[in-house]
Amino acid sequence: MLRQLFFGGVFSLINIAIHALAMASVVSASRAASARHVGWPALRLVMIMIPTVSVLMAFHLAEIGVWSLGYALLDVVPPGADRFYFAFVNYTTLGYGDIVPVAEWRLLGPMTAMNGVLLFGWSTAVIFEVLWKALPPSPDT
């Protein structure tokens, strides 16, 4: 069990580092974009939010790739199973259950899910922050 927790922790920390870089770049870019004056506030909001969410999705796919690579290095999935698909299903907590990890690595699935939930929550917080900063000031303030 300790070996599973160790490797799950390593993959989680790698993803947290990747996500931190993504968050820093997204927040920085969105602040710069929000500072520009655009005649149509709704257009400015769309032009900030589409790239923000797209970049976050791309980073989530990269993080799923980290789990998939980890699964490959440790032979977590049965022979012939799609590791990226298995990582994706776990990371998103979808959990179809059509692929089951080998018994000695069964804790990596829930650890992947825990990592995904935390990183999705972090992304949601950043999306809200970017949206809040991109909105034009209300007349009441």
Side-chain angles (χ1 to χ4, degrees):
M1 180 168 88
L2 291 177
R3 186 170 65 149
Q4 294 178 73
L5 294 173
F6 172 77
F7 282 108
V10 167
F11 300 136
S12 292
L13 288 174
I14 291 168
N15 279 343
I16 290 166
I18 291 169
H19 215 72
L21 291 171
M23 296 301 108
S25 63
V26 162
V27 168
S28 176
S30 68
R31 283 185 181 159
S34 293
R36 293 190 197 121
H37 185 332
V38 176
W40 295 324
L43 179 61
R44 180 177 78 174
L45 184 61
V46 168
M47 297 308 292
I48 291 171
M49 294 311 295
I50 289 173
T52 296
V53 174
S54 298
V55 165
L56 292 175
M57 287 178 66
F59 274 95
H60 280 288
L61 286 172
E63 292 153 9
I64 292 165
V66 167
W67 280 105
S68 177
L69 179 62
Y71 292 169
L73 293 172
L74 299 173
D75 286 327
V76 172
V77 298
D82 185 338
R83 289 180 301 271
F84 190 81
Y85 167 78
F86 182 62
F88 213 131
V89 168
N90 282 323
Y91 187 86
T92 61
T93 71
L94 184 58
Y96 281 138
D98 54 340
I99 301 174
V100 180
V102 296
E104 67 185 274
W105 293 107
R106 66 180 173 212
L107 283 180
L108 287 185
M111 290 189 77
T112 305
M114 181 175 62
N115 186 235
V117 166
L118 289 171
L119 297 181
F120 280 132
W122 190 359
S123 291
T124 302
V126 168
I127 290 168
F128 181 78
E129 176 66 16
V130 168
L131 175 65
W132 187 254
K133 296 292 183 189
L135 288 171
S138 71
D140 300 338
T141 59

